[in-house]
Amino acid sequence: MMSEPATPAPGSPERPFLPAMGTGGLLPVYDAVSWLGARSAHRRVVAAADPAPGTTVLEIGCGTGNLLIAAARAQPGATVVGLDPDPAALERARTKAQRRGLAIRVEQGFADQLPHPDGSVDQVLSAFMFHHLPADAKRAMLGEVHRVLAPGGALFLADFEGVPRPFRLLAPLLRLLGHGPGHGGQGHGGQGHAGQGHGGQGHGGHGNDGPLAPVANDPSMVRQLLGGAGFTEVAQVGAANSAFGRWIAHRAVRA
């Protein structure tokens, strides 16, 4: 079984984005960090989704493909697609899947402009990218997810509760590497260094003089946003502590 090469979304090369780990130079260590902080969450998300043969599963912000590969391994009969703005991360995901004999498809694109027709996806997965998005970008992503899901399809969304614990250590490193304040969205009177992050808008609300910081998630806020986007049957399907902080997974159904 072969994985397909990355396919860019129309217009995507012109849009800036925040690479995994905040800079492309740290991409080689991303898998180790992901294994440490996200492996158990990936397993729980895939178990909750329990994809069926013949279904289409889309992961938004797939990075180097760890959750994507877990989904493909759990259900080889599903069409498993990963989307991310970073072509280097997508190539790494494709190579990893190929080494494991898993068939996946990867696409270059953004969470607020999914390259899929209305109602064409059965399940959407997303893990540890929602905290990169300011409120307006969160709403844009959920609106697109609602659009591409078939009626009765479900979103499985996992992310940290609050701010990831090690971020105070990562921020000085990113500033030293020249990836300082303002990961995206409109800052205080200007655009941040990178307008997108892990499939969607970057850390918004920070101008060039502001601190580098993710947007903290509150579980009640997440549930409110899901309801506002038209999802029903919103429920928590997993939660645990990790090396990077407590995470929570929600399931939400497209009525």
Side-chain angles (χ1 to χ4, degrees):
M1 301 176 72
M2 303 293 288
S3 300
E4 300 178 22
T7 55
S12 59
E14 288 77 25
R15 298 179 65 177
F17 63 89
L18 174 69
M21 299 294 292
T23 171
L26 294 179
L27 186 61
V29 303
Y30 178 77
D31 284 332
V33 172
S34 178
W35 187 91
L36 181 66
R39 189 182 186 192
S40 64
H42 290 167
R43 289 174 172 171
R44 293 283 290 275
V45 167
V46 171
D50 191 21
T55 57
T56 297
V57 180
L58 169 66
E59 183 193 354
I60 299 176
C62 67
T64 62
N66 296 317
L67 175 58
L68 194 68
I69 287 170
R73 180 179 284 145
Q75 182 48 263
T79 298
V80 180
V81 185
L83 179 136
D84 198 274
D86 187 350
L90 292 174
E91 180 59 24
R92 186 176 287 261
R94 187 192 66 79
T95 300
K96 285 162 55 178
Q98 191 171 34
R99 285 202 304 262
R100 292 163 174 78
L102 298 171
I104 65 169
R105 188 171 84 241
V106 292
E107 303 171 331
Q108 186 182 3
F110 299 92
D112 62 353
Q113 195 174 10
L114 298 178
H116 297 269
D118 296 0
S120 62
V121 176
D122 298 295
Q123 294 179 326
V124 173
L125 314 180
S126 182
F128 304 109
M129 63 82 68
F130 208 55
H131 69 274
H132 288 272
L133 312 184
D136 58 344
K138 283 178 165 65
R139 285 189 288 268
M141 169 186 160
L142 295 178
E144 276 291 272
V145 171
H146 190 274
R147 178 185 66 80
V148 303
L149 276 172
L155 165 66
F156 295 84
L157 177 68
D159 207 344
F160 296 109
E161 179 182 16
V163 175
R165 188 180 300 138
F167 201 85
R168 66 176 69 94
L169 302 177
L170 182 61
L173 174 61
L174 295 182
R175 282 195 290 268
L176 182 65
L177 293 170
H179 295 266
H183 280 13
Q186 294 297 326
H188 302 293
Q191 182 75 20
H193 286 315
Q196 304 291 329
H198 302 290
Q201 299 290 336
H203 302 163
H206 308 294
N208 290 340
D209 297 323
L212 179 65
V215 180
N217 284 321
D218 176 79
S220 62
M221 175 269 292
V222 173
R223 292 191 292 269
Q224 183 178 20
L225 288 172
L226 288 166
F231 288 95
T232 62
E233 301 179 43
V234 177
Q236 182 176 310
V237 294
N241 293 317
S242 76
F244 292 164
R246 180 173 173 79
W247 59 265
I248 295 177
H250 288 95
R251 175 181 181 267
V253 175
R254 198 269 199 217

